[in-house]
Amino acid sequence: AKTGLELAEALAGLDPMSRHTHPRVLEALVQGESYETGTPLLLTEFGGVGFVSTRGAPGEQSEPWGYGGLVRSEDDLLLRVKGLVDAVRHSTALAGFCYTQLADVEGELNGLLTADRNPKLSPHIWRSVFAG
């Protein structure tokens, strides 16, 4: 999902008591495995909002790239990441999540930090987004 709204719509209707039967959840589960009702469901990779920051080295890419395109400003970065995190946080079907990714690498500018580990936004802002 590119936006928080798209992610919220994708997660909508997932019933934590019957996740193993919902078509959207079946796509995320390991084929051939069995799951008990109440088995924790984790979103182990989401996010990836691309942004070219002026706060540090841009990384070693020739062409800036990010999932779903690039946002153009720090405000847009904050709105997109916050929207995604809020959508995941409000899902009753998920037991946890892992944001992707911490820092920019090679051709991907999807990090919360630049390639040389400078925060793209203030650490206080990132903390408020992820701590709720």
Side-chain angles (χ1 to χ4, degrees):
K2 185 175 175 181
T3 67
L5 180 60
E6 289 173 2
L7 185 55
E9 288 173 358
L11 295 171
L14 296 184
D15 180 354
M17 298 311 291
S18 64
R19 341 188 158 129
H20 62 286
T21 62
H22 194 286
R24 285 191 211 124
V25 175
L26 288 176
E27 294 172 11
L29 300 179
V30 177
Q31 296 296 323
E33 293 295 320
S34 61
Y35 295 86
E36 300 292 324
T37 299
T39 298
L41 181 62
L42 303 175
L43 182 56
T44 57
E45 184 172 340
F46 86 102
V49 179
F51 176 64
V52 180
S53 177
T54 59
R55 295 177 184 241
E60 300 178 15
Q61 71 286 335
S62 56
E63 188 94 16
W65 181 86
Y67 294 104
L70 300 173
V71 295
R72 298 179 191 260
S73 70
E74 290 181 357
D75 289 341
D76 290 343
L77 175 64
L78 176 60
L79 287 172
R80 177 90 63 89
V81 172
K82 184 172 180 354
L84 292 169
V85 171
D86 286 350
V88 170
R89 189 181 313 285
H90 290 102
S91 171
T92 58
L94 298 174
F97 66 88
C98 179
Y99 186 85
T100 304
Q101 62 205 41
L102 179 61
D104 293 347
V105 293
E106 298 173 359
E108 297 181 23
L109 298 180
N110 295 309
L112 302 174
L113 311 175
T114 62
D116 60 351
R117 304 305 194 257
N118 287 302
K120 291 183 180 181
L121 299 176
S122 159
H124 298 290
I125 292 173
W126 286 137
R127 183 174 189 271
S128 71
V129 168
F130 288 95

